Each structure stands twice: as structure tokens, then as C-alpha cells.
């Protein structure tokens, strides 16, 4: 049978390659973007309670209402921003499914979508499988700041959507209020939709504020915000997230969502809703991960790697240009096979061909793992 792939360039990702290499060489795995410690027992108990209390049939298409109320309360409390729980919030199967359905609901063949690179890997395929065209904008080490004049020059009547991500995976940088205001100004008076991937919203360090798209009135009117409980509650395997947007945009999103998954795992939604009644469950995350970042960086401060401390996310990029001239893929592989530590080279992040000689390390790991990792990194 002959078929023409809709995604001819999608193959095995570096994440799979590095994890396989890490397993094969019994390496410490700081390549994967998820915790190696358990999710909170209270949350697990609440999900079990939900199952025992009968939350075992389809949830409403837009999500369990208690959870949507808890999400709405969070936006009110943290950002003084109102999202109507019935019309403007939908629970999704992780941020990935939300992103796919947002793009599918709006992007038509030949529409242009601006994506900043390096970029999380699900953005480009979602655009391309829907016939859209990615217009990439390069961010560069060490600060990965967007060049707003370049963004302005790439906007056209074909621009349907701009995809943003702060705190940023993989660089660990965050966008400032000025960045968000520039974006707001550039999109003012247009029909451009903004997809703001905010899965690391609760992981921002050094007293900085997360600049959610919902804080900027005009931006909010054109934005979908996506979020992931996997990142917030240390359970990436549950794949529960959500998206918020003004009602007219959300209505279009739900037309796709209902025929994509219809609804997602009900007991997890109820358990998370109950868990979120205590806001400290998510408000304590900044401090929790800042301690991990600080521990990791203090342990490797005398190594040959150079770094600017991550400002958000649970990733730290390390510059190895004082160690070798090898390209980042070769060096990451060699670190795994020869030294026993796995990371992710930044050049492989979807769309990013640039080799700034930096590797991404995930510090959402136990202190013991971070200690072992630092012992290796200090020897290189
Ligand atoms: C920037 C970014 N967006 C989206 C996701 C996907 O989130 P989820 O696991 O909830 O689908 C991730 C996961 O690593 C991510 O880093």
C-alpha cells in the first residue's frame, strides 16, 4: 500500500534516543522532563476516594465542574482574572491535547503560525498536520529574548496564530511584562489568536512574577492559555491539563475537543479538584523547585560548565563551550555513554537548528540524584 506521510520529517525523537541510551548505559537520567520522586500521597488518596465514590463514568465534555470551579478560583486569586467555569475553561488530556485541538480548531491550510525556537516538540507537527505553515523565530543563548522587530516583520495577513511559551522549555527563561506588552501591541486590532503555553506557570524563581497572558486585557481576549497538572502536581503520567479562553474561542475549541477525546479521566479530575481546595498545593511549587535549582547549581559551581541560573521551569541549561568544540548532540551522547549522565542537546528542540553548545538538564529529581549527577559533572 502506498501512502504519502502527512508528517514526513517526524521520526524518533532525541528524547527517546537519549532515554534508551541512558538505560543501556545505566546513566543518571536528567534528560527526561519529569520527577523521579512520588506524587503527593494525599492527592493519590483523593483520586482513590473519587473512584470509591462513583466518579467512574464519563465526565462532562468540558470537564468535572468542581475542577473547572477550582481553576476559575485560581485565576481569580492569582491574576485577578475571571474565566467563566462553564463557558471558558475546558479540562484536557494534558497540555498536549489542548494544544493539538486549539491548532486544529483554527489553523487552515496555508495559514501561518509564528513559533519561537527552540520549541517544545508538539507545536510544529500540530500546525503541519493541519496544513499550516510554521514561521520560526530564533531565540539565542544566553537570554533567549525575542526580537520584537523580527516578530513584527514576520506578521502578515496570513498569520493566524502566535504560539508562546513562558516559562520556557528548554531554556528556563521567562518573558517579562514588557515582552507581553510588545506582543499585545503587535496583535492589537488583528484577528491573530495567541496560544500561550503556561505549563510551568507555578515554577518561577527569585520572586519574579509569572506574566500570564490573562493579565493583559487585549491579549486575554485573543488567547488560549494551556496548563498541565502533570507539571504542577508531579504526576505527568496522569495527562490531565486544561485550557482557558474567552467564550467565543472556547466554543470553537470544544467542537474539536468533543470529537477528539470527548472528556478525560474522571476520578483524577475530581481528586485534583479536591486537592486544589488548598492553594498551598500549587503555591509552594516555586520554593520547592527553587531549592532544587539552587542545590544543583551550588553542587556544580566549580565545574567547567557555565550557566545563568534558570528563571523558571525545572530545567537548567549548561554551556559546555569551555570543555569541547563537539556539537551538542555528539557531546550529549558521549556524556551518556562515557560519563553516565543523560541530558538533552538544545539544537534538537523542534525547529531549532542552532548549536549554542548548551545542554538541558532536568532538576526535578531527588536530592540524592542531583548529588550523584553533580559528582559526574564536576569530573568532566
Ligand atoms: C512547554 C511544554 N508544553 C506542553 C507540555 C505537555 O504537557 P502535558 O504532559 O500536560 O501534555 C510540556 C511537557 O513537557 C512542556 O514542556
Amino acid at each position: 500500500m502506498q501512502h504519502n506521510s502527512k508528517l514526513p520529517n517526524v521520526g524518533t525523537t532525541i528524547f527517546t534516543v537519549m532515554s534508551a541510551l541512558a538505560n543501556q548505559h545505566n546513566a543518571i537520567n536528567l534528560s527526561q522532563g519529569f520527577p523521579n520522586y512520588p506524587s503527593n500521597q494525599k492527592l493519590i488518596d483523593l483520586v482513590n476516594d473519587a473512584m470509591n465514590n462513583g466518579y467512574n463514568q464519563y465526565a462532562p465534555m468540558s470537564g468535572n465542574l468542581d475542577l473547572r470551579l477550582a481553576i476559575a478560583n485560581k485565576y481569580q486569586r492569582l491574576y485577578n482574572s475571571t474565566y467563566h467555569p462553564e463557558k471558558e475553561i475546558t479540562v484536557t488530556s494534558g497540555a498536549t491535547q489542548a494544544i493539538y485541538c486549539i491548532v486544529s480548531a483554527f489553523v487552515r491550510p496555508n495559514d501561518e503560525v509564528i513559533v519561537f525556537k527552540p520549541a517544545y516538540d508538539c507545536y510544529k507537527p500540530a500546525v503541519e498536520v493541519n496544513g499550516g505553515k510554521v514561521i520560526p523565530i530564533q531565540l539565542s543563548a544566553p537570554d533567549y529574548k525575542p526580537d520584537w522587530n523580527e516578530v513584527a516583520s514576520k506578521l502578515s495577513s496570513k498569520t493566524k496564530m502566535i504560539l508562546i511559551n513562558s516559562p520556557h522549555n528548554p531554556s528556563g527563561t521567562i518573558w517579562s511584562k514588557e515582552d507581553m506588552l510588545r506582543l499585545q501591541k503587535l496583535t492589537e486590532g488583528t484577528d491573530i489568536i495567541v496560544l500561550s503555553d503556561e505549563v510551568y506557570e507555578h515554577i518561577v524563581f527569585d520572586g519574579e512574577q509569572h506574566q500570564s497572558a490573562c493579565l493583559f486585557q487585549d491579549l486575554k481576549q485573543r488567547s488560549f492559555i494551556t496548563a498541565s497538572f502533570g507539571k504542577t502536581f508531579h504526576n505527568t503520567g496522569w495527562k490531565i491539563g486544561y485550557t482557558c479562553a474567552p467564550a467565543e474561542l472556547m466554543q470553537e475549541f470544544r467542537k474539536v475537543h468533543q470529537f477528539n477525546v470527548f472528556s478525560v479521566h474522571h476520578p483524577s479530575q475530581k481528586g485534583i479538584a479536591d486537592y486544589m481546595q488548598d492553594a498551598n498545593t500549587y503555591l509552594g511549587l516555586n520554593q520547592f523547585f527553587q531549592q532544587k535549582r539552587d542545590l544543583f547549581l551550588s553542587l556544580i559551581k566549580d565545574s567547567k560548565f557555565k550557566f545563568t541560573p534558570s528563571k523558571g521551569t525545572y530545567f537548567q541549561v549548561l554551556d559546555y563551550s569551555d570543555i569541547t568544540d563537539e556539537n551538542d548532540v555528539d557531546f550529549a551522547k558521549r556524556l551518556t555513554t562515557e560519563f553516565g549522565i543523560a541530558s538533552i542537546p538544545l539544537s534538537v528542540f523542534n525547529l531549532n537548528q542552532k548549536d549554542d553548545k548548551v545542554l538541558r538538564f532536568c532538576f526535578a529529581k531527588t536530592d540524592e540524584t542531583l548529588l550523584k549527577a553533580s559528582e559526574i559533572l564536576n569530573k568532566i
Side-chain angles (χ1 to χ4, degrees):
M1 208 173 98
Q2 294 285 321
H3 68 94
N4 218 348
S5 173
K6 287 183 83 177
L7 295 171
N9 300 321
V10 172
T12 312
T13 70
I14 190 76
F15 302 94
T16 311
V17 172
M18 292 309 293
S19 283
L21 258 190
N23 284 339
Q24 198 185 333
H25 293 269
N26 208 11
I28 293 181
N29 196 348
L30 300 197
S31 69
Q32 301 168 314
F34 57 79
N36 72 339
Y37 45 82
S39 180
N40 185 286
Q41 190 55 47
K42 183 170 173 213
L43 175 55
I44 292 172
D45 291 343
L46 286 169
V47 175
N48 275 306
D49 290 349
M51 286 186 186
N52 288 323
N53 291 330
Y55 287 85
N56 299 305
Q57 307 309 329
Y58 292 127
M61 183 268 278
S62 49
N64 172 282
L65 188 55
D66 288 350
L67 182 54
R68 283 183 282 142
L69 280 165
I71 295 165
N73 285 339
K74 183 184 90 167
Y75 279 87
Q76 203 68 59
R77 178 189 176 129
L78 285 186
Y79 307 111
N80 197 19
S81 185
T82 305
Y83 282 103
H84 194 290
E86 306 250 12
K87 296 187 191 144
E88 301 189 314
I89 298 172
T90 303
V91 181
T92 60
S93 179
T96 310
Q97 185 246 321
I99 291 164
Y100 187 82
C101 289
I102 294 163
V103 174
S104 298
F106 294 96
V107 173
R108 292 191 165 87
N110 302 319
D111 280 349
E112 294 186 353
V113 178
I114 294 204
V115 179
F116 296 87
K117 60 182 192 169
Y120 184 61
D121 61 348
C122 77
Y123 303 163
K124 184 172 184 257
V127 173
E128 291 184 345
V129 85
N130 284 291
K133 189 171 168 215
V134 168
I135 305 296
I137 294 191
Q138 182 74 51
L139 307 175
S140 297
D143 59 7
Y144 297 88
K145 281 275 173 209
D147 174 346
W148 289 109
N149 293 330
E150 186 186 354
V151 180
S153 75
K154 294 209 166 145
L155 292 181
S156 77
S157 56
K158 290 188 183 159
T159 312
K160 183 76 210 172
M161 190 177 281
I162 302 180
L163 231 153
I164 65 172
N165 170 221
S166 174
H168 183 237
N169 176 12
S171 72
T173 54
I174 56 175
W175 278 14
S176 63
K177 186 173 176 188
E178 288 65 41
D179 288 321
M180 299 303 280
L181 287 171
R182 289 297 294 273
L183 177 65
Q184 175 163 266
K185 187 98 196 113
L186 280 180
T187 51
E188 227 170 66
T190 71
D191 292 326
I192 296 171
I193 291 165
V194 170
L195 195 172
S196 184
D197 181 352
E198 303 187 9
V199 298
Y200 300 103
E201 79 180 299
H202 299 302
I203 316 181
V204 175
F205 307 131
D206 307 320
E208 296 275 352
Q209 294 299 311
H210 169 57
Q211 299 296 332
S212 173
C214 73
L215 289 168
F216 304 85
Q217 251 339 291
D218 190 73
L219 209 48
K220 181 181 175 186
Q221 293 320 311
R222 63 179 73 256
S223 291
F224 279 91
I225 290 174
T226 58
S228 169
F229 291 115
K231 307 291 177 192
T232 305
F233 295 137
H234 318 291
N235 50 29
T236 57
W238 295 9
K239 290 298 280 187
I240 312 282
Y242 64 86
T243 182
C244 303
E248 16 356 312
L249 295 181
M250 188 55 81
Q251 200 181 356
E252 290 306 311
F253 170 84
R254 287 181 180 171
K255 289 181 187 172
V256 177
H257 170 81
Q258 71 179 334
F259 296 116
N260 183 265
V261 291
F262 185 76
S263 65
V264 308
H265 194 254
H266 201 172
S268 303
Q269 293 191 56
K270 175 65 178 150
I272 292 172
D274 292 344
Y275 191 62
M276 281 179 77
Q277 297 309 311
D278 175 5
N280 291 322
T281 52
Y282 50 88
L283 295 181
L285 216 60
N286 296 329
Q287 203 190 351
F288 175 82
F289 280 118
Q290 185 165 324
Q291 273 169 6
K292 293 217 173 281
R293 178 201 67 173
D294 290 348
L295 173 69
F296 183 51
L297 293 183
S298 70
L299 288 166
I300 59 165
K301 69 178 188 327
D302 297 324
S303 74
K304 293 205 185 89
F305 291 92
K306 292 183 289 194
F307 54 80
T308 307
S310 175
K311 294 192 165 62
T313 76
Y314 44 49
F315 301 112
Q316 176 65 50
V317 295
L318 298 181
D319 173 326
Y320 64 84
S321 57
D322 284 353
I323 300 173
T324 172
D325 285 338
E326 277 164 285
N327 71 50
D328 63 355
V329 174
D330 287 349
F331 187 53
K333 285 185 178 161
R334 196 159 71 80
L335 276 189
T336 313
T337 55
E338 275 182 33
F339 293 92
I341 183 160
S343 58
I344 298 287
L346 250 72
S347 70
V348 301
F349 273 83
N350 210 330
L351 300 165
N352 191 42
Q353 293 85 28
K354 203 157 179 272
D355 177 11
D356 281 329
K357 311 249 176 275
V358 285
L359 304 175
R360 188 199 79 176
F361 294 79
C362 173
F363 54 80
K365 307 292 168 189
T366 62
D367 292 356
E368 190 195 355
T369 304
L370 295 177
L371 183 64
K372 279 192 197 145
S374 70
E375 282 166 3
I376 297 175
L377 293 172
N378 285 334
K379 284 189 202 131
I380 296 165

